[in-house]
Amino acid sequence: MRKLLNTLFVTQPNIYLSLDGDNIVLNKEKEKLGRVPLHNLESIVSFGYTGASPGLMGYCADNNISMTFLTMNGRFLARVTGMSRGNVHLRKKQYHISDDLNASALISRNFIIGKLFNQKWMLERAKRNYPLRIDEDKMNEISTKLSRQIKEVHRCNDLERLRGLEGQAATYYNEGFNLMILQQQEDFYFHTRSRRPPKDKINALLSFAYTLLASDTAAALETVGLDAYVGFMHRDRPGRASLALDVMEELRGVVADRFVISMINRKEVSANDFVEKENGSVILTEEARKSFLQKWQLKKQESLKHPFLGETISWGLVPYAQALLLARFLRGDLDEYPPFLWK
């Protein structure tokens, strides 16, 4: 159980939610684990399948408290709301800004700044932690280039130019990706990003991690009432969760890339965990996917101090924190969207 920005997150499995007066009660089997006053809550997010009582759902609907149900893996299942009051205005604001390229550029700029900042500090931390095993001069060179790109992005108000700056920064960052791989270097080497299909082992791992992160981020956006398919940097495309791709940009490196590099360096994945198809694509074996998912869930349970909120939360709740902050910015409660800046 976790309260964050007036949202109650129920992250333990097998928790049944019920109503007692003006309080939500958390039950596990026949034991009451806790109770929280409902008058302070804006929304409830429950991970798992156990569910909630009709009385609680009716109370929340009447009092404009949204209830969202996700699987334990973070996949969106359903949201229970009353009459459309706050969300319709939030989504109208989202659509309005998405139609305005200049306004979209201002928000997209912060997504990209967050992404480049986090990539830079991934390289800096690797250099600090392994000074005898990493090419320090090369790391310093790449870090300096990323710092310059961050300054350029901060001054940029044009969406197309922002994409160009982000693409150039990706080229710099990719040069440093291999420097962070300290084990199994003969089997795991990053050449270039290949998506559909992934052409090597690292791209297979990255594609899987990005898919999981995109799913988590889309669920988080739907949870706070935003439309995950209408983005600002990623423009509308049928079937693409564009806003989820926007928000996850700042999390790609610090969440997905770090996870993949850690698995390789800890030898939690090996060359035997992959199969090459006739079309040249490389995929994980079924057993390797299960292991990947288990470790992904364990990583999401690890804690950190959110750099903007100053609260200790799990990594799994970072997409939800950013979705809440984006919604608050769109409502006018914040002057600017604060990207997730990790060190």
Side-chain angles (χ1 to χ4, degrees):
M1 179 177 69
R2 176 78 190 173
K3 283 184 66 178
L4 179 66
L5 293 177
N6 295 326
T7 296
L8 175 66
F9 291 92
V10 183
T11 56
Q12 296 183 45
N14 303 320
I15 299 294
Y16 184 77
L17 308 177
S18 62
L19 180 69
D20 182 9
D22 292 326
N23 302 286
I24 178 174
V25 180
L26 292 87
N27 308 276
K28 187 170 185 179
E29 297 178 351
K30 296 183 179 180
E31 180 184 2
K32 293 184 178 180
L33 299 184
R35 56 196 295 126
V36 178
L38 284 162
H39 64 270
N40 290 326
L41 295 180
E42 294 177 0
S43 59
I44 300 164
V45 180
S46 178
F47 291 77
Y49 297 98
T50 307
S53 71
L56 175 63
M57 289 190 283
Y59 181 101
C60 290
D62 290 340
N63 290 276
N64 200 30
I65 302 171
S66 69
M67 294 189 69
T68 305
F69 298 93
L70 311 172
T71 68
M72 286 306 300
N73 291 334
R75 182 173 60 84
F76 179 80
L77 291 174
R79 184 172 63 247
V80 177
T81 60
M83 296 178 61
S84 296
R85 284 171 279 194
N87 287 353
V88 64
H89 298 296
L90 176 63
R91 291 201 177 198
K92 285 179 69 175
K93 183 65 176 291
Q94 177 188 354
Y95 300 150
H96 176 72
I97 292 179
S98 179
D99 287 337
D100 186 331
L101 293 181
N102 291 329
S104 292
L106 295 179
I107 300 178
S108 300
R109 183 172 64 188
N110 283 13
F111 295 144
I112 299 173
I113 287 174
K115 178 180 183 178
L116 304 192
F117 181 94
N118 292 334
Q119 290 176 339
K120 169 185 166 63
W121 282 103
M122 283 174 61
L123 299 175
E124 291 288 345
R125 179 172 285 201
K127 182 182 68 175
R128 183 190 67 194
N129 291 345
Y130 306 100
L132 301 180
R133 303 177 65 184
I134 285 182
D135 187 337
E136 184 175 352
D137 292 337
K138 185 64 175 177
M139 279 293 204
N140 288 336
E141 177 187 344
I142 298 170
S143 181
T144 300
K145 289 179 179 178
L146 288 175
S147 294
R148 286 201 298 263
Q149 290 298 103
I150 291 172
K151 292 179 181 178
E152 287 292 324
V153 168
H154 194 267
R155 292 193 291 262
C156 183
N157 297 318
D158 179 77
L159 199 56
E160 284 303 316
R161 175 158 169 73
L162 279 173
R163 292 195 185 101
L165 291 171
E166 189 274 336
Q168 183 60 61
T171 301
Y172 299 149
Y173 169 71
N174 289 343
E175 294 177 14
F177 192 97
N178 284 316
L179 299 178
M180 293 184 284
I181 298 175
L182 306 177
Q183 301 287 344
Q184 308 185 87
Q185 294 172 338
E186 293 183 0
D187 294 320
F188 294 93
Y189 188 87
F190 184 72
H191 299 280
T192 186
R193 183 78 179 105
S194 57
R195 297 173 177 81
R196 302 181 185 88
K199 296 291 188 179
D200 56 56
K201 300 176 185 66
I202 287 185
N203 274 291
L205 292 170
L206 290 176
S207 291
F208 195 20
Y210 292 158
T211 297
L212 295 174
L213 180 58
S215 177
D216 289 347
T217 307
L221 293 166
E222 293 288 344
T223 295
V224 302
L226 289 166
D227 189 334
Y229 287 83
V230 178
F232 305 118
M233 183 171 69
H234 294 83
R235 309 308 293 173
D236 296 349
R237 181 184 298 176
R240 182 172 76 175
S242 296
L243 186 60
L245 296 179
D246 282 355
V247 175
M248 71 176 275
E249 284 295 340
E250 62 203 73
L251 304 178
R252 281 181 186 268
V254 72
V255 174
D257 294 4
R258 283 180 67 232
F259 178 76
V260 166
I261 292 170
S262 176
M263 285 194 70
I264 295 171
N265 287 341
R266 293 177 180 176
K267 298 184 179 180
E268 295 173 336
V269 63
S270 70
N272 296 327
D273 291 322
F274 299 85
V275 176
E276 185 172 348
K277 297 292 188 178
E278 293 180 357
N279 64 354
S281 65
V282 177
I283 63 172
L284 283 161
T285 65
E286 184 176 350
E287 286 301 315
R289 283 198 301 273
K290 291 180 181 177
S291 176
F292 190 104
L293 286 169
Q294 289 171 354
K295 292 178 174 60
W296 178 265
Q297 294 304 320
L298 289 174
K299 177 61 181 178
K300 286 166 61 175
Q301 294 172 24
E302 295 179 8
S303 298
L304 76 154
K305 187 174 183 180
H306 193 282
F308 180 80
L309 299 173
E311 293 191 39
T312 299
I313 62 174
S314 68
W315 275 102
L317 292 185
V318 170
Y320 296 91
Q322 295 309 117
L324 285 165
L325 291 170
L326 178 59
R328 291 201 163 197
F329 163 69
L330 293 176
R331 289 192 183 103
D333 297 333
L334 294 173
D335 293 334
E336 189 173 14
Y337 168 71
F340 180 80
L341 304 178
W342 173 86
K343 264 193 178 184

